[in-house]
Amino acid sequence: MPLPSRSAAARRAVMSRLVVMPRLIAAGGRFRIGQGILGCVVAAGTALALMPAALAAPHSVPHRAHYAMSLLKAQPDAAIAGVAGDMAVIFDRACDGWSVLQASRMEIDFDEAEPVVSDILFDSEESDDGTRFRFRYEERENGESVELAIAHLDRTSPDRPSKLRFANPPGVTESVPAGALLPTAHTERLLQAAEAGEAFIRAEVLTGSGQDSLSFVSAHIGRPTEIAADQDWPSQAGEAADALRTATVIPMRLAFFKPDDRSETPIYELLYQIQPNGVVRRFDIDYGEFAISARLVSVENRPAAESCD
């Protein structure tokens, strides 16, 4: 039976705002149900030495993480009855960069509409020097593919304008401004800022979340905070996972905007607890009318990169 038009409109409005995270959070952000996100460029008025930052020893460690997601809150106008799902992320170190694999599944229940099962499949490779980036992003709703984006970036330097070129849709390009950060470079920039005691970072980031994947992100970085050993850490993690656990976490709050939008109201905000080694213990995505919460279920080490020599 066809859904009432009012319900269908509400469903579309909600789906257009939902975000799940392709590359866990800090790494630049966008994580959306029904589309993707990741996150960030240097703020206006601040200069960032991109090459030295990109080539510095990484803070992040290779790991595999699994998160359980649920509805944190919803106002009546949001028309969402519930959200349940999970996400697996594999973050591997290559000899000259990083590779990321992510698979997420979310089931969204609506007050006056049929539920939707949303799958996000994402994989990417990114070079340390910020010159190369490739990704494949696919979004499915109820098992049917609704978006498939395959693209690559090759630029001579991060501080020069360039083009993201799509193999699918064929012939499509996206302008990438000078200074735009790649996802993992953004994560590393945030961790470096936390270590240096910086409180704010504003940046544009090429997220790899389909077409129009450039986002402007304003990040507030809290001070590293001691945390109880068992807080937000999987109870059955085991000794291998415990080697990844740190005594402190860094609270961060990221506000996401379209690249040409400098309004005071972001599309959504991402709040998370990240360890100095890049492992995220928990995160919340707040869209104003509703919010989604994710908690770490399991985590494990990944092999170190082999030498390129």
Side-chain angles (χ1 to χ4, degrees), residues 214-234:
L214 189 68
S215 294
F216 178 82
V217 182
S218 178
H220 178 268
I221 305 165
R223 294 182 178 181
T225 304
E226 291 187 5
I227 188 169
D230 59 349
Q231 186 174 341
D232 298 322
W233 193 256

Side-chain angles (χ1 to χ4, degrees), residues 151-166:
H152 70 275
L153 172 75
D154 288 294
R155 55 186 179 181
T156 56
S157 172
D159 59 4
R160 299 182 66 120
S162 55
K163 292 282 187 181
L164 178 67
R165 303 184 184 280
F166 286 81

Side-chain angles (χ1 to χ4, degrees), residues 122-188:
F122 175 84
D123 73 80
S124 69
E125 294 178 355
E126 172 184 335
S127 65
D128 284 337
D129 62 8
T131 61
R132 301 187 312 279
F133 180 49
R134 71 95 188 153
F135 68 85
R136 183 185 188 278
Y137 169 88
E138 184 176 11
E139 173 194 342
R140 299 173 183 171
E141 286 187 13
N142 296 333
E144 295 186 5
S145 181
V146 296
E147 182 178 357
L148 175 62
I150 303 172
H152 70 275
L153 172 75
D154 288 294
R155 55 186 179 181
T156 56
S157 172
D159 59 4
R160 299 182 66 120
S162 55
K163 292 282 187 181
L164 178 67
R165 303 184 184 280
F166 286 81
N168 194 82
V172 174
T173 62
E174 181 178 359
S175 296
V176 180
L181 297 177
L182 301 182
T184 305
H186 179 236
T187 299
E188 290 297 305

